Each structure stands twice: as structure tokens, then as C-alpha cells.
Amino acid sequence: MVSPKEILVNIWYGDSTDISIREWVFDYIEQNENVPEEIFEIFDADSTSQEALLMKIVAISDSEFDSQCVQAEVMAAKLLLKVASDYLVGNVKPSDVCAVINNIDCGFLGAPRGLPDKIAYYQKWLGNLYHSCDWCDGGWTQSNAPHLKQDLQEQITVIQTWLEKS
């Protein structure tokens, strides 16, 4: 079962919809005996409130978890691996994979990692994928964006290596 942290990472960097979050809530309630009352509030909440409620649930067990922590970065890398793999088999549109890449790129830029002043953190495991998505729009297809497929194939190995070291 997907954890509340993974749902948050998907909200921050992926493509969660209210429907998938509500489906997760049903599964969570079904599989857990001690269910925080905030879980039930998610059913009637809008997307902003859903995120806040999930963050409240996560904070109970891990007050250090946030959108730029190392644990969230590892989960975001795993999310990108899944989206990239889905793209390579034709289950995801270029615009969808590029949206995830953009969200991750923007979300972790400058994350607190103890670097010297005026040095912004950039996740090296993302490589040059941001540039692979330059000018991406709804008109892109796998056939007219072969560079994206090639770049994703190359970066998957880099991401997997980074995850093994994390």
C-alpha cells in the first residue's frame, strides 16, 4: 500500500487527482485498524485541504518530512522512474512526463543540503531531462519527440544508481 508520504510526493511532483487520493483513502481505511480522523476528512476536502490533511497525518510520525527533504527526493526519483518506464512503453504522453520532470526540477532547486552560500542545490540524478522537455506541449508525441525517449532511457540508469547510493 502506498504511504501518506508517497501520496504527498505524488501531489507535489506527480499527477494525483482527487479520485486517486480518495481511492487511496478507501484502501487505507480498509487495511488499517487505527485510522486518524483526518483521513475521513479527506473525502470532502478540496485538493489544497487534502494536501494539508495528509501533511498533518505525516507530521504525527515524522515532523521532519517536507517537500524538499532527502526522503521526499528519493520518493520523487522513484516516481520519475515509474513515469519514465510508463512513457517508454507508451502509457504516458510526452507532456505528462515533462510535467513531472518540471515539477521535480522546480521543487528541489535550492533545497537545503548544506551547500555554501549562493550555491543552489540541483538534483544531479535528474540530469538534463529538463532541457529534453523544452517547448513541450500537448502536440508532442513519441514519434515527434524521439530525443525525449533516448534521454529518458539514458537517465533511468543514472537515477537507479543514485537510488542505490541513497
Side-chain angles (χ1 to χ4, degrees), residues 2-14 16 21 24 47-48 50-59 65-67 72 75 79:
V2 177
S3 73
K5 289 178 184 180
E6 290 169 304
I7 293 290
L8 278 170
V9 167
N10 203 38
I11 289 170
W12 295 328
Y13 303 113
S16 277
I21 293 171
W24 173 81
S47 57
T48 303
Q50 287 176 339
E51 180 181 344
L53 290 164
L54 284 164
M55 198 59 212
K56 189 174 179 181
I57 292 164
V58 168
F65 188 81
D66 67 23
S67 64
M75 290 178 184
L79 170 67

Short mmCIF file of all heavy atoms in Angstrom, two decimals, residues 2-14 16 21 24 47-48 50-59 65-67 72 75 79:
data_model
loop_
_atom_site.label_atom_id
_atom_site.label_comp_id
_atom_site.label_asym_id
_atom_site.label_seq_id
_atom_site.Cartn_x
_atom_site.Cartn_y
_atom_site.Cartn_z
N VAL A 2 0.47 2.22 -0.72
CA VAL A 2 1.18 3.49 -0.81
C VAL A 2 1.03 4.24 0.52
O VAL A 2 -0.06 4.28 1.09
CB VAL A 2 0.61 4.33 -1.97
CG1 VAL A 2 1.25 5.68 -2.04
CG2 VAL A 2 0.75 3.58 -3.28
N SER A 3 2.11 4.81 0.99
CA SER A 3 2.08 5.53 2.27
C SER A 3 1.57 6.96 2.07
O SER A 3 1.57 7.48 0.96
CB SER A 3 3.50 5.57 2.86
OG SER A 3 4.30 6.48 2.12
N PRO A 4 1.13 7.60 3.16
CA PRO A 4 0.73 9.01 3.05
C PRO A 4 1.87 9.88 2.50
O PRO A 4 1.61 10.83 1.76
CB PRO A 4 0.39 9.40 4.50
CG PRO A 4 0.04 8.12 5.17
CD PRO A 4 0.90 7.07 4.52
N LYS A 5 3.11 9.56 2.83
CA LYS A 5 4.24 10.33 2.30
C LYS A 5 4.32 10.20 0.78
O LYS A 5 4.57 11.18 0.07
CB LYS A 5 5.56 9.85 2.92
CG LYS A 5 5.73 10.22 4.37
CD LYS A 5 7.04 9.67 4.90
CE LYS A 5 7.19 9.95 6.37
NZ LYS A 5 8.46 9.41 6.91
N GLU A 6 4.11 9.00 0.29
CA GLU A 6 4.16 8.79 -1.16
C GLU A 6 3.03 9.53 -1.87
O GLU A 6 3.23 10.06 -2.97
CB GLU A 6 4.11 7.29 -1.48
CG GLU A 6 5.38 6.56 -1.08
CD GLU A 6 5.23 5.05 -1.15
OE1 GLU A 6 4.31 4.51 -0.50
OE2 GLU A 6 6.04 4.43 -1.85
N ILE A 7 1.87 9.58 -1.24
CA ILE A 7 0.76 10.35 -1.81
C ILE A 7 1.14 11.83 -1.87
O ILE A 7 0.92 12.50 -2.88
CB ILE A 7 -0.54 10.16 -0.99
CG1 ILE A 7 -1.05 8.72 -1.11
CG2 ILE A 7 -1.61 11.16 -1.41
CD1 ILE A 7 -1.59 8.36 -2.47
N LEU A 8 1.75 12.33 -0.81
CA LEU A 8 2.18 13.73 -0.81
C LEU A 8 3.20 14.00 -1.92
O LEU A 8 3.10 15.00 -2.64
CB LEU A 8 2.78 14.12 0.55
CG LEU A 8 1.79 14.49 1.63
CD1 LEU A 8 2.49 14.61 2.98
CD2 LEU A 8 1.06 15.78 1.29
N VAL A 9 4.17 13.13 -2.07
CA VAL A 9 5.18 13.31 -3.12
C VAL A 9 4.51 13.30 -4.48
O VAL A 9 4.85 14.10 -5.36
CB VAL A 9 6.29 12.23 -3.01
CG1 VAL A 9 7.15 12.21 -4.25
CG2 VAL A 9 7.14 12.50 -1.77
N ASN A 10 3.52 12.45 -4.66
CA ASN A 10 2.80 12.42 -5.92
C ASN A 10 2.01 13.72 -6.14
O ASN A 10 1.94 14.22 -7.26
CB ASN A 10 1.87 11.21 -5.99
CG ASN A 10 1.54 10.83 -7.40
OD1 ASN A 10 2.37 10.91 -8.29
ND2 ASN A 10 0.31 10.43 -7.62
N ILE A 11 1.46 14.27 -5.07
CA ILE A 11 0.76 15.56 -5.18
C ILE A 11 1.76 16.65 -5.56
O ILE A 11 1.50 17.46 -6.45
CB ILE A 11 0.06 15.91 -3.85
CG1 ILE A 11 -1.14 14.99 -3.62
CG2 ILE A 11 -0.37 17.38 -3.84
CD1 ILE A 11 -1.75 15.10 -2.22
N TRP A 12 2.90 16.66 -4.88
CA TRP A 12 3.89 17.72 -5.12
C TRP A 12 4.56 17.62 -6.48
O TRP A 12 4.81 18.63 -7.13
CB TRP A 12 4.96 17.70 -4.03
CG TRP A 12 4.48 18.03 -2.66
CD1 TRP A 12 3.47 18.87 -2.31
CD2 TRP A 12 4.99 17.52 -1.42
NE1 TRP A 12 3.31 18.92 -0.95
CE2 TRP A 12 4.24 18.10 -0.38
CE3 TRP A 12 6.00 16.61 -1.10
CZ2 TRP A 12 4.47 17.83 0.96
CZ3 TRP A 12 6.24 16.35 0.24
CH2 TRP A 12 5.49 16.94 1.26
N TYR A 13 4.89 16.41 -6.90
CA TYR A 13 5.74 16.25 -8.08
C TYR A 13 5.13 15.44 -9.20
O TYR A 13 5.67 15.40 -10.30
CB TYR A 13 7.08 15.61 -7.67
CG TYR A 13 7.76 16.43 -6.62
CD1 TYR A 13 7.93 15.96 -5.33
CD2 TYR A 13 8.19 17.72 -6.91
CE1 TYR A 13 8.54 16.75 -4.36
CE2 TYR A 13 8.79 18.50 -5.94
CZ TYR A 13 8.95 18.01 -4.67
OH TYR A 13 9.54 18.79 -3.70
N GLY A 14 4.01 14.79 -8.93
CA GLY A 14 3.45 13.90 -9.93
C GLY A 14 2.15 14.40 -10.49
O GLY A 14 2.00 15.56 -10.84
N SER A 16 -1.43 13.54 -9.16
CA SER A 16 -2.52 12.96 -8.37
C SER A 16 -3.80 13.72 -8.65
O SER A 16 -3.80 14.93 -8.79
CB SER A 16 -2.23 13.07 -6.87
OG SER A 16 -1.42 12.04 -6.45
N ILE A 21 -6.68 10.00 -4.91
CA ILE A 21 -6.48 10.22 -3.47
C ILE A 21 -7.63 9.60 -2.70
O ILE A 21 -7.41 8.92 -1.69
CB ILE A 21 -6.32 11.72 -3.16
CG1 ILE A 21 -5.01 12.24 -3.76
CG2 ILE A 21 -6.36 11.97 -1.65
CD1 ILE A 21 -4.84 13.73 -3.72
N TRP A 24 -7.19 5.94 -2.59
CA TRP A 24 -6.17 5.60 -1.60
C TRP A 24 -6.78 5.62 -0.20
O TRP A 24 -6.49 4.74 0.62
CB TRP A 24 -4.99 6.57 -1.68
CG TRP A 24 -4.01 6.35 -0.59
CD1 TRP A 24 -3.03 5.40 -0.53
CD2 TRP A 24 -3.94 7.06 0.65
NE1 TRP A 24 -2.35 5.48 0.66
CE2 TRP A 24 -2.89 6.50 1.41
CE3 TRP A 24 -4.65 8.12 1.21
CZ2 TRP A 24 -2.53 6.96 2.66
CZ3 TRP A 24 -4.30 8.58 2.46
CH2 TRP A 24 -3.25 8.00 3.18
N SER A 47 -8.51 19.92 -3.12
CA SER A 47 -7.14 19.43 -3.26
C SER A 47 -6.16 20.11 -2.31
O SER A 47 -5.28 19.45 -1.77
CB SER A 47 -6.66 19.56 -4.71
OG SER A 47 -6.74 20.90 -5.13
N THR A 48 -6.33 21.38 -2.06
CA THR A 48 -5.44 22.09 -1.13
C THR A 48 -5.61 21.55 0.29
O THR A 48 -4.64 21.31 1.00
CB THR A 48 -5.70 23.60 -1.16
OG1 THR A 48 -5.54 24.07 -2.50
CG2 THR A 48 -4.75 24.35 -0.24
N GLN A 50 -6.81 18.59 1.07
CA GLN A 50 -6.34 17.21 1.10
C GLN A 50 -4.85 17.16 1.39
O GLN A 50 -4.39 16.37 2.22
CB GLN A 50 -6.61 16.52 -0.24
CG GLN A 50 -8.04 16.18 -0.49
CD GLN A 50 -8.27 15.60 -1.86
OE1 GLN A 50 -7.48 15.79 -2.78
NE2 GLN A 50 -9.38 14.91 -2.02
N GLU A 51 -4.10 18.02 0.73
CA GLU A 51 -2.65 18.07 0.96
C GLU A 51 -2.35 18.44 2.40
O GLU A 51 -1.50 17.81 3.05
CB GLU A 51 -2.01 19.07 0.00
CG GLU A 51 -0.51 19.18 0.17
CD GLU A 51 0.10 20.20 -0.78
OE1 GLU A 51 -0.53 20.62 -1.75
OE2 GLU A 51 1.27 20.58 -0.51
N ALA A 52 -3.04 19.43 2.93
CA ALA A 52 -2.82 19.86 4.31
C ALA A 52 -3.17 18.74 5.30
O ALA A 52 -2.44 18.52 6.28
CB ALA A 52 -3.64 21.11 4.62
N LEU A 53 -4.24 18.03 5.05
CA LEU A 53 -4.64 16.92 5.93
C LEU A 53 -3.61 15.79 5.87
O LEU A 53 -3.24 15.22 6.91
CB LEU A 53 -6.02 16.40 5.54
CG LEU A 53 -7.20 17.34 5.87
CD1 LEU A 53 -8.45 16.92 5.12
CD2 LEU A 53 -7.44 17.38 7.38
N LEU A 54 -3.15 15.46 4.67
CA LEU A 54 -2.12 14.42 4.55
C LEU A 54 -0.84 14.85 5.26
O LEU A 54 -0.19 14.05 5.93
CB LEU A 54 -1.84 14.12 3.08
CG LEU A 54 -2.90 13.28 2.39
CD1 LEU A 54 -2.74 13.36 0.88
CD2 LEU A 54 -2.83 11.84 2.86
N MET A 55 -0.48 16.12 5.13
CA MET A 55 0.73 16.62 5.80
C MET A 55 0.58 16.52 7.32
O MET A 55 1.53 16.17 8.02
CB MET A 55 0.99 18.06 5.35
CG MET A 55 2.36 18.57 5.58
SD MET A 55 3.61 17.58 4.75
CE MET A 55 4.92 17.79 5.93
N LYS A 56 -0.61 16.79 7.81
CA LYS A 56 -0.88 16.68 9.25
C LYS A 56 -0.72 15.22 9.71
O LYS A 56 -0.14 14.96 10.76
CB LYS A 56 -2.29 17.19 9.54
CG LYS A 56 -2.63 17.33 10.99
CD LYS A 56 -3.99 17.99 11.15
CE LYS A 56 -4.38 18.13 12.60
NZ LYS A 56 -5.71 18.74 12.75
N ILE A 57 -1.22 14.29 8.92
CA ILE A 57 -1.11 12.86 9.24
C ILE A 57 0.36 12.45 9.25
O ILE A 57 0.82 11.75 10.16
CB ILE A 57 -1.92 12.02 8.23
CG1 ILE A 57 -3.41 12.27 8.42
CG2 ILE A 57 -1.59 10.54 8.36
CD1 ILE A 57 -4.27 11.80 7.26
N VAL A 58 1.12 12.87 8.25
CA VAL A 58 2.54 12.52 8.16
C VAL A 58 3.31 13.14 9.32
O VAL A 58 4.20 12.49 9.90
CB VAL A 58 3.12 12.96 6.80
CG1 VAL A 58 4.64 12.87 6.79
CG2 VAL A 58 2.53 12.11 5.69
N ALA A 59 2.99 14.37 9.68
CA ALA A 59 3.73 15.07 10.75
C ALA A 59 3.62 14.37 12.09
O ALA A 59 4.52 14.49 12.93
CB ALA A 59 3.23 16.51 10.87
N PHE A 65 9.54 15.60 7.74
CA PHE A 65 9.21 15.35 6.33
C PHE A 65 8.60 16.60 5.71
O PHE A 65 7.66 17.19 6.24
CB PHE A 65 8.22 14.19 6.22
CG PHE A 65 7.97 13.76 4.80
CD1 PHE A 65 8.88 12.93 4.16
CD2 PHE A 65 6.85 14.19 4.11
CE1 PHE A 65 8.67 12.53 2.84
CE2 PHE A 65 6.63 13.79 2.81
CZ PHE A 65 7.54 12.96 2.17
N ASP A 66 9.16 17.02 4.58
CA ASP A 66 8.59 18.12 3.81
C ASP A 66 8.92 17.93 2.33
O ASP A 66 9.57 16.95 1.96
CB ASP A 66 9.05 19.49 4.31
CG ASP A 66 10.53 19.77 4.10
OD1 ASP A 66 11.16 19.17 3.20
OD2 ASP A 66 11.08 20.62 4.82
N SER A 67 8.50 18.84 1.51
CA SER A 67 8.62 18.68 0.06
C SER A 67 10.05 18.69 -0.45
O SER A 67 10.30 18.25 -1.57
CB SER A 67 7.80 19.75 -0.66
OG SER A 67 8.33 21.03 -0.38
N ALA A 72 11.83 12.77 0.60
CA ALA A 72 10.91 13.15 -0.47
C ALA A 72 11.61 13.11 -1.82
O ALA A 72 11.01 12.72 -2.84
CB ALA A 72 10.32 14.53 -0.22
N MET A 75 11.77 9.55 -2.98
CA MET A 75 10.45 9.15 -3.47
C MET A 75 10.14 9.79 -4.82
O MET A 75 9.53 9.16 -5.69
CB MET A 75 9.37 9.52 -2.45
CG MET A 75 9.42 8.70 -1.20
SD MET A 75 8.13 9.27 -0.05
CE MET A 75 8.47 8.23 1.35
N LEU A 79 9.28 7.98 -8.30
CA LEU A 79 8.11 8.38 -9.08
C LEU A 79 8.52 8.63 -10.53
O LEU A 79 7.85 8.17 -11.47
CB LEU A 79 7.48 9.64 -8.48
CG LEU A 79 6.39 10.32 -9.32
CD1 LEU A 79 5.16 9.44 -9.43
CD2 LEU A 79 6.04 11.67 -8.71
#
